[in-house]
Amino acid sequence: FRSQDVEPTVCCGQIICGKCQRAHSRTQAAAGEKDEKCAMCRQPAAQNPGEWSAYFAVRADRGEAHAMYSLAHVYRHGLVDSTKTIVPDPERAAAYLLRASESGYAAAQVELGATMCGLIGRCACGHEPPPIPFDL
């Protein structure tokens, strides 16, 4: 697999390849199902960023590193959609990034180290977030 073809699902965190996800979507469409469900856990798919952040919060509380890393980005940039508003919270972002790093999540380790060393002023997704207060 190429890395861009494999990603964790939002709801349950299971790994699924892009080809399998597309096949699952086609099967659901052929069956006439209107609401897309996760191919792994059959939960309804998140419809907006507010629902995604809620799924990630549950998974982060269970100790899943990818969810912690995703929440670090949510709190670093903030989130505004029709259902939820999260103001940027650099301290909370730092806490999630540190927890994801300590869990062994490589992307979080790289971003944490580069940010702490002042090598990058922005995160890996390319946005210019508020500075993270690293006096840990």
Side-chain angles (χ1 to χ4, degrees):
F1 293 114
R2 294 187 320 249
S3 62
Q4 68 265 25
D5 287 342
V6 179
E7 62 182 51
T9 57
V10 173
C11 49
C12 60
Q14 299 297 311
I15 303 295
I16 186 168
C17 75
K19 185 176 181 181
C20 292
Q21 180 60 46
R22 289 186 293 277
H24 173 70
S25 295
R26 283 192 302 274
T27 302
Q28 280 190 294
E33 294 182 29
K34 293 181 181 180
D35 296 327
E36 189 168 334
K37 294 187 172 116
C38 173
M40 305 303 251
C41 70
R42 305 295 190 240
Q43 291 291 321
Q47 300 298 313
N48 57 58
E51 289 181 16
W52 298 335
S53 64
Y55 278 133
F56 284 134
V58 169
R59 290 181 32 222
D61 288 344
R62 290 192 306 221
E64 295 181 29
H66 176 75
M68 291 179 228
Y69 181 68
S70 297
L71 279 177
H73 280 260
V74 168
Y75 284 107
R76 193 167 190 187
H77 301 291
L79 172 71
V80 177
D81 76 3
S82 61
T83 62
K84 190 171 194 166
T85 299
I86 296 175
V87 296
D89 185 342
E91 290 180 9
R92 202 164 186 185
Y96 276 117
L97 191 58
L98 182 62
R99 283 180 55 204
S101 296
E102 289 172 342
S103 296
Y105 197 70
Q109 292 171 340
V110 169
E111 191 169 319
L112 178 67
T115 303
M116 290 179 76
C117 293
L119 298 176
I120 59 173
R122 64 182 71 204
C123 64
C125 66
H127 293 98
E128 188 68 48
I132 289 183
F134 281 112
D135 47 344
L136 309 171

